[in-house]
């Protein structure tokens, strides 16, 4: 039996939840729902929100001092807030083509 089952589960967690965020940041899709959204912002939001779980788990797995666990928990909370901010920015109305107000702009006719 594996002596570190929690570390294996943390690796599976990272593969399942953090990898899609990294892929959205590195190579955003251009079809489907993502045409209306900002996929890179969604990727950063995924990394920040699910990375907070890893930030809270790793110091406990390594049996670090309570001060280090507290510091990692605070970093996880900050990461969660940043992820929520990026999730909000990704869902704001407005095209990612440079129209920050979200207003519909009619094409000009000569």
């Amino acid at each position: 039996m594996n002596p570190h089952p929690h570390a294996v589960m943390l690796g599976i967690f990272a593969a399942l939840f953090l990898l899609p965020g990294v892929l959205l940041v590195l190579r955003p899709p251009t079809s489907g729902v993502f045409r209306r959204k900002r996929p890179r912002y969604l990727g950063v939001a995924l990394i920040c929100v699910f990375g907070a779980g890893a930030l809270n788990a790793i110091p406990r797995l390594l049996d670090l001092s309570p001060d280090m666990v507290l510091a990692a928990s605070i970093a996880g909370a900050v990461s969660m807030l940043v992820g929520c901010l990026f999730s909000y920015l990704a869902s704001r109305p407005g095209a990612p083509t440079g129209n920050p107000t979200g207003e519909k702009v009619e094409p000009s006719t000569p």
Side-chain angles (χ1 to χ4, degrees):
M1 183 159 190
N2 189 355
H4 303 290
H6 291 81
V8 171
M9 292 305 293
L10 189 62
I12 293 171
F13 168 82
L16 289 177
F17 292 106
L18 295 178
L19 186 62
V22 172
L23 292 176
L24 278 174
V25 171
L26 294 178
R27 189 172 177 157
T30 56
S31 63
V33 172
F34 290 107
R35 244 184 307 186
R36 295 181 304 267
K37 301 283 183 186
R38 295 172 177 91
R40 288 198 168 130
Y41 284 4
L42 287 174
V44 171
L46 275 175
I47 292 170
C48 289
V49 168
F50 288 115
L55 280 172
N56 283 322
I58 290 172
R60 289 174 174 86
L61 286 176
L62 296 176
D63 200 25
L64 296 178
S65 69
D67 292 335
M68 290 300 293
V69 171
L70 178 65
S73 295
I74 291 172
V78 170
S79 172
M80 183 68 76
L81 290 174
V82 169
C84 291
L85 173 71
F86 272 98
S87 177
Y88 167 73
L89 291 175
S91 65
R92 281 181 58 203
T97 58
N99 184 6
T101 61
E103 296 176 17
K104 228 176 190 184
V105 179
E106 299 296 326
S108 60
T109 56

